[in-house]
Amino acid sequence: TEPQGRLAVLDEPHNLEEFPPRAMTGYKTHFEGHGEFCVSASSDGVTPSYTIWKAFDKTVNGLGWHDQNVPYTDGVYSGTQSLAGISGEWITLKLPYKINLKSVAIAPRSGNTLSQRSAGSGVILGSNDGNNWDQLHSFSGLTATDYEFTNINNIIAPGYYKTIAIVVTELVGKPPTINITSLNISEIKFFGTREQGQSVLHDGQLT
């Protein structure tokens, strides 16, 4: 006659945060109070100086994510890479917990044509197993200014995800303005809220 039940209390909701919280120092970086963040991409840099994790090293106008051999014909992706069926070079950040993504900030390298090599159009994806992806947002017509972040706001993600990806389908620079064929992003920031947890006070018989 006694009910079987479970008593739990939701933790305090999280505020908006930046991810990763501090500068990454390698492909995998552990942050105290958070856990391990991991970066992967469809292609790495042309030299050890250009490596994908430097897109998250908090250095605007740093070398960042760059591969001059990536094929963008007239600024539009023409290679063989894809993620979730979307053609384009991609980069992912795996977090130690799930987040609900709210916005993204992308900074180009500066000088000459470098700012034109940043992401102009693309898709933002989320996954919890690295295989199945949900489309969180698509963007197009982005511009790039030296030393400045371009913000992608008003992302309405349908849930919380442990891995966030950006697939770049077009570059900023396209003919007739300029013909750019290689991708180069100096810095990326993700903003969102962590999944709210719960504290179990009792798990068993309750009267």
Side-chain angles (χ1 to χ4, degrees):
T1 60
E2 295 177 347
Q4 301 288 326
R6 188 170 192 265
L7 180 62
V9 177
L10 286 175
D11 296 339
E12 288 292 322
H14 293 282
N15 295 321
L16 188 70
E17 298 178 73
E18 178 184 323
F19 306 101
R22 294 181 292 280
M24 294 195 70
T25 56
Y27 295 93
K28 297 181 179 181
T29 304
H30 185 276
F31 298 106
E32 186 176 352
H34 293 266
E36 187 176 73
F37 287 73
C38 304
V39 181
S40 62
S42 51
S43 62
D44 209 343
V46 290
T47 69
S49 297
Y50 296 92
T51 49
I52 54 176
W53 63 265
K54 290 186 178 179
F56 298 98
D57 66 0
K58 307 300 182 189
T59 304
V60 178
N61 198 33
L63 294 178
W65 177 33
H66 172 55
D67 191 338
Q68 65 185 18
N69 298 317
V70 171
Y72 282 85
T73 304
D74 295 336
V76 179
Y77 187 70
S78 58
T80 59
Q81 295 288 344
S82 67
L83 189 63
I86 302 167
S87 295
E89 294 297 314
W90 51 264
I91 189 167
T92 70
L93 179 68
K94 184 178 180 181
L95 301 91
Y97 38 64
K98 296 179 182 179
I99 67 167
N100 184 263
L101 189 69
K102 302 295 185 183
S103 65
V104 177
I106 299 175
R109 288 185 66 195
S110 65
N112 298 320
T113 62
L114 293 176
S115 63
Q116 299 297 305
R117 301 176 190 270
S118 189
S121 300
V123 177
I124 300 170
L125 305 171
S127 176
N128 284 314
D129 60 9
N131 295 311
N132 299 291
W133 296 89
D134 292 339
Q135 183 169 319
L136 310 185
H137 192 77
S138 62
F139 60 92
S140 62
L142 293 189
T143 58
T145 304
D146 291 357
Y147 304 109
E148 293 184 9
F149 280 96
T150 297
N151 296 311
I152 304 171
N153 297 317
N154 303 316
I155 297 174
I156 304 176
Y160 290 81
Y161 299 91
K162 199 164 186 178
T163 303
I164 305 296
I166 297 177
V167 184
V168 181
T169 58
E170 295 184 22
L171 305 179
V172 171
K174 293 185 287 294
T177 304
I178 194 169
N179 185 16
I180 297 296
T181 60
S182 63
L183 173 69
N184 193 177
I185 295 176
S186 173
E187 192 69 22
I188 302 171
K189 296 179 180 180
F190 295 121
F191 296 91
T193 55
R194 283 189 251 177
E195 186 176 36
Q196 189 177 15
Q198 63 179 16
S199 300
V200 178
L201 303 181
H202 191 285
D203 200 350
Q205 287 189 344
L206 301 178
T207 59

